[in-house]
Amino acid sequence: MSRLEEEISRRRTFAIISHPDAGKTTLTEKLLLFGGAIHVAGAVKSNKIRKTATSDWMDIEKQRGISVATSVMGFDYEGFKINILDTPGHQDFAEDTYRTLTAVDSVIIVVDVAKGVEQQTRRLMEVCRMRNTPVIIFVNKLDREGRDPFDILDELESELKIAVRPLSWPISMGQSFKGVYNIYQNSLDLFTPDKQKVTERVEIDGFDDLRIDENIGEKDAGKLREDLELIEGVYPEFEVDDYLSGSLAPVFFGSALNTFGVKELLDCFIRIAPAPKPVVAEEREVRPSEETFSGFVFKIHANMDPNHRSCIAFVKICSGTFIRNANYLHVRSGKYIRFSAPTAFMAQKKNIVDEAFPGDIVGIPDTGNFKIGDTLTEGEMIHFRGLPSFSPEMFKYIENDDPMKAKQLNKGIDQLMDEGVAQLFINQFNGRKIIGTVGQLQFEVIQYRLLHEYNAQCRWEPISLYKACWIESDDDEALEAFKKRKHQFMAIDREGRYVFLADSSYVLQMAQNDFPKIRFHFTSEF
Ligand code: G4P
């Protein structure tokens, strides 16, 4: 195996996703503890922007700073190089999360045992399903009273629309929580509530072993055997290939806060989770083991210092070896650029790196050259795709509130859109600019950043829209007829594609009925 192949095969790049408060931050921290990347609990700060903080701008700015530091966390564990990509905790930033999911090879979903599948989890799972991303589920907070584990499994299956297979099983829960039976490795992990320590493991020989009874008592042992028999009866054998193809999700139970069930998860994860996979570019499939470097920008993070506009572009390496100070082609502009200070993310530190491999993320200081989705190569003209925009859920007209600063405003809007903060549509009928977001908070962030970073003032005006959908047709005449009939509701996006602005679900449905030759898309990737 070449060095490149060796480096690729030991990399695991993934994201942890959950509904806010299910325990994503806590689990991330415990994984870092196992990797020796941090030494005390509490070292990873949650990057969630709490609802109550919406009016406190300093807080948002501070939180954004924290999220840069924790955007990517790399650590070594048992010979593997693990990269965890963090996603924003606040649901108004779901779009950021969607994009991060394009840069990972697998995902761990955290679910609260008392709450089950929540809305945000459902939406994020849809994105995973679109991309056939392998998913492992961690059911958290077993130290509290929650729902019956079998009910949770049924709910996961029906709500997340994926087959599930438990690989660990809880022994009681809440006050009487005793531990987890590790189905994957056939061992028993006993629960000793401790926030810092790793739990005690009892090796056993199948579930008839009397050591189970000795450790958890006859009653719980009896119940455990019943449960395990039921599991064996109901769920087929675990097949890694089903997991890798995205059709089956292994499920683990535990308590992140008590560091319980986390090591079981991690040990199984490094064995079954995929190493970096080939990435499909518009022109061809790019294999990680190709000698020449390629990568794409999946996230841009604005600097905190408003007087000095600079950003960090996060580049996911898709193939070859990235080398500091080499000349790379920025495909969109056709320019060659040298990066003298790329950073890698180990634990919570940013360090300058000399080289990086597929699966790794490098941070590149940038002063406005990059746009989300940009490709970097050694000279080949390829374009990575797969960074879809989703139809936003909230829309407002953006208006200039300071006539002297129109230029600043336009520049600011353009750059914020390049960063992927929100989506811009231009109404073809009246030429007005419409900003679409997935949450109210983004409007506030845009207004604040326009003022502080571009010295421009904007004002929001209401527009009542249900959805913006991208339209296309093989029949030019039909497309023209549609645009003519709906001319008041037509817009273009920043790539110049046609977008239909439907003001209600009824109108959208009618349009779909009346114009069967038009295809309506709810993401920009079609
Ligand atoms: P998030 O990133 O998914 O939003 O969740 P986070 O890890 O911040 O966890 C949300 C809350 O749930 C935190 O409590 C955290 O301590 C708690 N938690 C996480 N894992 C477990 C678990 O296994 N058992 C129990 N009982 N609680 C758990 P908080 O009070 O909101 O925050 P904090 O003040 O404790 O940090």
Side-chain angles (χ1 to χ4, degrees):
M1 226 197 272
S2 69
R3 165 140 190 260
L4 176 61
E5 282 165 340
E6 234 166 72
E7 291 292 349
I8 295 166
S9 67
R10 71 185 197 93
R11 272 171 174 69
R12 299 286 180 273
T13 302
F14 74 107
I16 304 180
I17 55 180
S18 73
H19 193 85
D21 274 342
K24 177 168 71 75
T25 310
T26 314
L27 180 64
T28 306
E29 177 174 287
K30 297 306 158 116
L31 294 175
L32 292 179
L33 270 174
F34 280 111
I38 55 168
H39 300 286
V40 283
V44 178
K45 290 282 171 291
S46 164
N47 76 4
K48 62 187 149 192
I49 297 170
R50 289 181 192 272
K51 273 244 149 64
T52 50
T54 48
S55 55
D56 184 347
W57 294 111
M58 277 322 289
D59 222 57
I60 286 206
E61 290 302 287
K62 244 190 304 183
Q63 305 256 17
R64 288 208 298 132
I66 291 165
S67 71
V68 158
T70 60
S71 277
V72 183
M73 286 160 284
F75 64 91
D76 287 303
Y77 179 74
E78 303 220 329
F80 290 87
K81 164 83 191 293
I82 296 173
N83 294 313
I84 307 181
L85 272 55
D86 197 17
T87 53
H90 198 291
Q91 57 190 15
D92 284 7
F93 292 87
E95 188 92 21
D96 269 10
T97 305
Y98 299 154
R99 277 192 297 260
T100 299
L101 293 182
T102 64
V104 300
D105 297 300
S106 69
V107 155
I108 293 179
I109 295 180
V110 184
V111 171
D112 183 325
V113 67
K115 294 190 179 142
V117 175
E118 294 170 90
Q119 187 212 358
Q120 179 124 341
T121 318
R122 219 174 284 128
R123 281 172 51 180
L124 293 169
M125 183 64 205
E126 272 169 35
V127 181
C128 295
R129 224 179 302 113
M130 271 170 64
R131 313 179 59 84
N132 299 323
T133 310
V135 162
I136 296 180
I137 300 171
F138 183 73
V139 180
N140 190 26
K141 307 198 187 180
L142 265 291
D143 60 319
R144 287 212 192 139
E145 294 302 327
R147 309 241 300 269
D148 180 81
F150 281 110
D151 290 348
I152 287 280
L153 289 177
D154 287 348
E155 182 174 312
L156 291 171
E157 209 151 51
S158 63
E159 294 282 322
L160 299 181
K161 301 190 180 69
I162 187 166
V164 296
R165 176 40 158 121
L167 288 188
S168 79
W169 194 251
I171 302 162
S172 193
M173 66 167 69
Q175 292 279 333
S176 58
F177 183 42
K178 294 245 171 54
V180 169
Y181 183 86
N182 189 333
I183 301 175
Y184 184 67
Q185 289 184 322
N186 249 333
S187 61
L188 182 67
D189 297 310
L190 295 178
F191 177 58
T192 36
D194 186 327
K195 291 185 185 169
Q196 303 285 348
K197 223 181 65 199
V198 181
T199 47
E200 188 187 334
R201 170 170 289 197
V202 183
E203 292 293 339
I204 50 150
D205 197 15
F207 51 78
D208 288 334
D209 197 323
L210 285 176
R211 272 172 291 187
I212 299 182
D213 306 60
E214 284 161 25
N215 281 288
I216 61 173
E218 259 174 49
K219 188 165 154 267
D220 282 325
K223 172 83 169 63
L224 174 66
R225 287 194 184 98
E226 252 174 50
D227 286 355
L228 292 175
E229 268 164 30
L230 193 57
I231 290 168
E232 298 303 319
V234 172
Y235 295 95
E237 276 291 298
F238 172 64
E239 297 286 347
V240 178
D241 285 344
D242 293 341
Y243 156 69
L244 291 175
S245 65
S247 55
L248 177 106
V251 181
F252 287 82
F253 291 84
S255 163
L257 187 63
N258 295 289
T259 324
F260 202 73
V262 178
K263 188 167 191 303
E264 291 67 29
L265 171 74
L266 181 59
D267 285 342
C268 177
F269 170 82
I270 54 172
R271 275 176 192 99
I272 67 172
K277 288 184 283 201
V279 185
V280 182
E282 258 164 48
E283 294 78 3
R284 65 183 187 87
E285 186 176 90
V286 178
R287 283 173 297 108
S289 58
E290 290 176 22
E291 285 301 316
T292 53
F293 157 78
S294 67
F296 67 88
V297 177
F298 69 95
K299 171 173 173 146
I300 294 178
H301 212 296
N303 200 307
M304 304 283 298
D305 180 359
N307 299 319
H308 173 248
R309 233 206 95 77
S310 70
C311 322
I312 298 180
F314 290 78
V315 176
K316 155 91 187 253
I317 298 170
C318 299
S319 69
T321 308
F322 172 91
I323 296 172
R324 181 160 83 98
N325 278 326
N327 259 319
Y328 291 129
L329 174 67
H330 179 237
V331 172
R332 184 170 52 85
S333 68
K335 278 193 270 186
Y336 277 84
I337 313 180
R338 241 163 41 96
F339 304 109
S340 59
T343 50
F345 304 85
M346 277 306 273
Q348 290 158 287
K349 289 195 222 64
K350 275 194 332 194
N351 297 318
I352 301 256
V353 274
D354 292 321
E355 55 177 20
F357 300 95
D360 285 342
I361 312 297
V362 288
I364 293 178
D366 172 46
T367 48
N369 286 317
F370 288 122
K371 233 165 121 161
I372 297 252
D374 280 358
T375 303
L376 292 171
T377 69
E378 287 188 21
E380 190 180 350
M381 295 295 282
I382 49 173
H383 301 79
F384 287 108
R385 56 200 303 261
L387 295 153
S389 301
F390 293 82
S391 177
E393 279 158 31
M394 301 177 100
F395 301 87
K396 285 182 185 178
Y397 281 122
I398 185 164
E399 297 295 342
N400 187 8
D401 215 19
D402 179 352
M404 306 298 288
K405 301 275 169 59
K407 241 169 87 184
Q408 284 88 332
L409 183 76
N410 288 334
K411 180 164 176 237
I413 295 177
D414 263 354
Q415 291 197 346
L416 292 181
M417 297 306 126
D418 282 349
E419 260 181 47
V421 174
Q423 294 177 55
L424 175 71
F425 304 102
I426 299 185
N427 189 323
Q428 292 299 87
F429 179 63
N430 54 21
R432 292 173 79 181
K433 288 183 171 162
I434 299 168
I435 301 282
T437 70
V438 294
Q440 174 60 28
L441 188 53
Q442 278 158 300
F443 292 112
E444 298 173 38
V445 170
I446 291 169
Q447 191 163 21
Y448 177 84
R449 290 190 55 192
L450 284 171
L451 186 62
H452 287 81
E453 294 169 29
Y454 300 91
N455 200 16
Q457 283 191 36
C458 77
R459 182 178 75 241
W460 301 109
E461 285 187 9
I463 172 170
S464 160
L465 281 185
Y466 165 67
K467 265 201 165 63
C469 30
W470 288 267
I471 57 161
E472 60 161 0
S473 176
D474 300 327
D475 184 334
D476 289 347
E477 242 170 67
L479 194 61
E480 282 314 309
F482 182 83
K483 284 185 338 204
K484 206 163 158 204
R485 172 95 79 87
K486 300 285 181 191
H487 71 287
Q488 281 180 305
F489 304 99
M490 289 307 301
I492 51 169
D493 73 2
R494 295 186 77 224
E495 320 305 322
R497 287 174 299 199
Y498 293 110
V499 174
F500 171 52
L501 308 169
D503 53 8
S504 72
S505 66
Y506 175 73
V507 164
L508 179 59
Q509 214 181 348
M510 288 302 285
Q512 284 169 318
N513 286 342
D514 294 348
F515 294 87
K517 287 186 177 157
I518 305 281
R519 289 188 293 277
F520 297 79
H521 301 281
F522 298 96
T523 73
S524 65
E525 194 182 83
F526 45 82

